[in-house]
Amino acid sequence: MSDEIYDVLVVGGGPGGYVAAIRAAQLGLKTACADKWKNKKGETVYGGTCLNVGCIPSKALLESSYNAVRAREHFAEHGVIVGKVAVDVAAMQKRKQKIVDTLVGGIGGLFKKNKVAALSGAASIVSIGDVCEVQIGGKQTVRCKNLILATGSVSRQIPPAPLDGKRIVDNIGALEFEEPPKKLGIVGAGVIGLELGSVWRRLGSEVRILEALPDFLPAADADIAKTAAKIFQKQGLQIELSSAVTAAKVSGKKVSVEWECGGKKQKDAFDKLIVAVGRAPYTEGLNLEAAGIQTERGFITVDEHCRAGRENIYAVGDVVRGPMLAHKAEEEGAMVAELIAGQKPEVAYETIPWVIYTHPEIAWVGKTEKELKDSGAKYRKGSFPFAANGRARGLGETDGMVKILADEESDRIVGAHIIGPGASDLIAEGVLAMEMAAASEDIARTCHAHPTLSEVFREAALAVDGRAIHI
Ligand code: NAD
């Protein structure tokens, strides 16, 4: 064991961990970050699920596959004639990998620039105290004054549909198909089911999504979910609600799947099955129990400042309570680094945005109308369709709307919900408005450039007071 004692050791180099490490180093703390993730060449890479097998590669494939739709269905109306459109999945996969490799390499570069020591190997806690000892990669023991656990999550499995890695796969396998499966089954109409279902549908797969719950996108505002269901159906995503999968079996080149819907048994055979039923916190090998670190249903128990039972032990990101979103993990990572440095940061959990990168995109922040109704809150609402916006017309992207919910008395924005072009970027205005405690009137009186999609956000704010201009 070396004499060196780090101020901060971060275990896990995903968005929670690498941001914590960089922020800690920026604040002058002597910092190390350990990860065991290996790329296909066997090199240790940082970036975790998000960069390696999550947000980044899926968005690359979503963009490539949507370009196929543009070329096939929309170019002609712009007067761009391309003839028969062919899809080269290998080229798409190569592009995806290049983006991943560049960004993953970028984290290594940021570590170097900020003097974060990049350690390679699985971490196991040896002892906890004012100075903690953590074994990395089974050999090296590292000492630290503060420990941040950011070990993330893995895809949840269900007993009726065990993964075989070839025909029954999780999100990782679903990003690697060499060609669109002719018939693709998906268990779970959540974020991953919809995003990856969209990718392969656009590339030619027949897609059937089986969802156990009776409601579609129950976390989204009902108006948005209803609009989305209609649009996705038109795109050919066959979404079946109240359909809990009871068995999936590989036989030869097919996967036969059984499910129950309204008390009736149903079955179908697919070329591939993606299981996308949520994710579970990952703490394997950390030795939490022996170290006396509490867990609850697998999640490391933390307070609102991500302290895990002791002043110098923290956990952030998917491995703790709250939404499993990269940007939530980043917020927590930065907060914890700043706390260790003696600052007084907070995470504004109520203004964490959600985005689903389908086409059109879906994004929201704050309360849904149902949540406001259920809590007895008095509110006013305004919505505005993209179809009435000049820029959306020019883009040929007229599906969807922005809906703003504001407190009846104070007019403060309490929720913003978008389905439409650029929703993932437009939601930032709603997040900022809520963070700054803005009223819908503040948005309504803010000049928005013309012609832009952002005008839809402003018109929805005007509509809260019944004075939208362009409808
Ligand atoms: P999810 O929680 O979004 O959706 C899982 C769905 O599977 C749910 O609707 C659930 O009711 C359904 N389900 C569960 N068991 C089932 C069964 N036996 N049969 C049929 N349906 C069943 O989870 P996900 O899509 O797997 O995503 C995992 C996590 O990753 C989520 O927490 C998500 O926030 C995150 N993620 C986020 C993004 C994004 O922000 N755009 C993208 C991908 C993943």
Side-chain angles (χ1 to χ4, degrees), residues 16 28 43 52 79 86 99 103 141 143 153 162 166 193-194 212 214 238 241 251 294 308 327 348 387 399 451:
E43 302 154 338
N52 288 289
I99 294 168
L103 290 180
T141 300
R143 295 194 292 169
S153 61
K166 217 174 147 206
L194 292 172
Q238 206 181 327
L241 302 174
S251 52
Q294 306 282 323
H327 46 278
D399 280 341

Side-chain angles (χ1 to χ4, degrees), residues 44-302:
T44 300
V45 284
Y46 301 85
T49 298
C50 165
L51 266 71
N52 288 289
V53 292
C55 316
I56 298 303
S58 62
K59 263 82 264 176
L61 288 184
L62 277 157
E63 194 57 28
S64 295
S65 59
Y66 198 71
N67 273 336
V69 176
R70 283 193 184 101
R72 222 167 36 220
E73 296 172 17
H74 303 303
F75 275 12
E77 68 180 279
H78 289 271
V80 179
I81 310 304
V82 288
K84 192 168 166 12
V85 177
V87 159
D88 179 349
V89 176
M92 287 182 184
Q93 293 288 18
K94 205 167 142 195
R95 174 182 181 273
K96 174 199 87 177
Q97 200 52 48
K98 199 168 157 204
I99 294 168
V100 168
D101 292 343
T102 305
L103 290 180
V104 160
I107 304 294
L110 289 172
F111 278 180
K112 269 200 197 111
K113 181 183 158 228
N114 288 284
K115 302 198 171 51
V116 172
L119 309 178
S120 168
S124 176
I125 301 170
V126 179
S127 67
I128 292 285
D130 291 342
V131 173
C132 307
E133 287 182 6
V134 181
Q135 200 177 66
I136 308 290
K139 34 186 195 310
Q140 167 188 21
T141 300
V142 173
R143 295 194 292 169
C144 62
K145 293 183 190 157
N146 295 278
L147 178 62
I148 304 175
L149 303 171
T151 45
S153 61
V154 286
S155 54
R156 252 188 68 208
Q157 315 272 322
I158 46 169
L163 306 187
D164 76 338
K166 217 174 147 206
R167 305 229 160 249
I168 308 182
V169 297
D170 61 5
N171 61 304
I172 302 180
L175 287 167
E176 300 281 327
F177 295 158
E178 286 167 4
E179 56 186 73
K182 200 158 175 300
K183 255 182 98 168
L184 173 62
I186 300 180
V187 191
V191 196
I192 292 179
L194 292 172
E195 291 185 357
L196 291 177
S198 295
V199 166
W200 296 109
R201 172 71 199 137
R202 292 166 190 173
L203 298 177
S205 298
E206 190 185 312
V207 178
R208 194 165 190 184
I209 307 182
L210 306 168
E211 166 58 53
L213 294 178
D215 294 323
F216 179 59
L217 285 181
D221 188 88
D223 285 340
I224 303 293
K226 212 165 90 191
T227 308
K230 267 192 221 149
I231 295 172
F232 296 157
Q233 202 169 7
K234 254 201 286 177
Q235 292 173 353
L237 288 176
Q238 206 181 327
I239 300 167
E240 296 180 36
L241 302 174
S242 301
S243 297
V245 168
T246 51
K249 221 173 92 198
V250 178
S251 52
K253 290 187 170 176
K254 295 276 178 197
V255 188
S256 51
V257 178
E258 291 178 8
W259 67 96
E260 256 179 42
C261 182
K264 276 198 204 137
K265 281 200 159 73
Q266 313 249 18
K267 61 177 182 184
D268 200 354
F270 301 97
D271 298 289
K272 300 265 187 197
L273 182 72
I274 303 174
V275 180
V277 294
R279 297 181 66 80
Y282 182 73
T283 57
E284 205 180 291
L286 276 180
N287 201 23
L288 293 180
E289 251 173 63
I293 296 171
Q294 306 282 323
T295 58
E296 231 176 295
R297 291 179 301 115
F299 292 95
I300 298 177
T301 310
V302 289

Side-chain angles (χ1 to χ4, degrees), residues 447-464:
C447 180
H448 288 63
H450 175 77
T452 62
L453 297 170
S454 72
E455 289 171 290
V456 179
F457 203 91
R458 185 203 199 170
E459 290 272 15
L462 283 162
V464 170

Side-chain angles (χ1 to χ4, degrees), residues 404 411 413 429-430 432-433 436-450 452-462 467 469-470:
I404 292 178
D411 191 34
I413 294 177
E429 181 166 3
L432 187 63
M436 298 284 145
S440 77
E441 184 70 11
D442 292 319
I443 303 289
R445 290 193 178 278
T446 300
C447 180
H448 288 63
H450 175 77
T452 62
L453 297 170
S454 72
E455 289 171 290
V456 179
F457 203 91
R458 185 203 199 170
E459 290 272 15
L462 283 162
R467 52 184 228 264
I469 299 289
H470 294 91

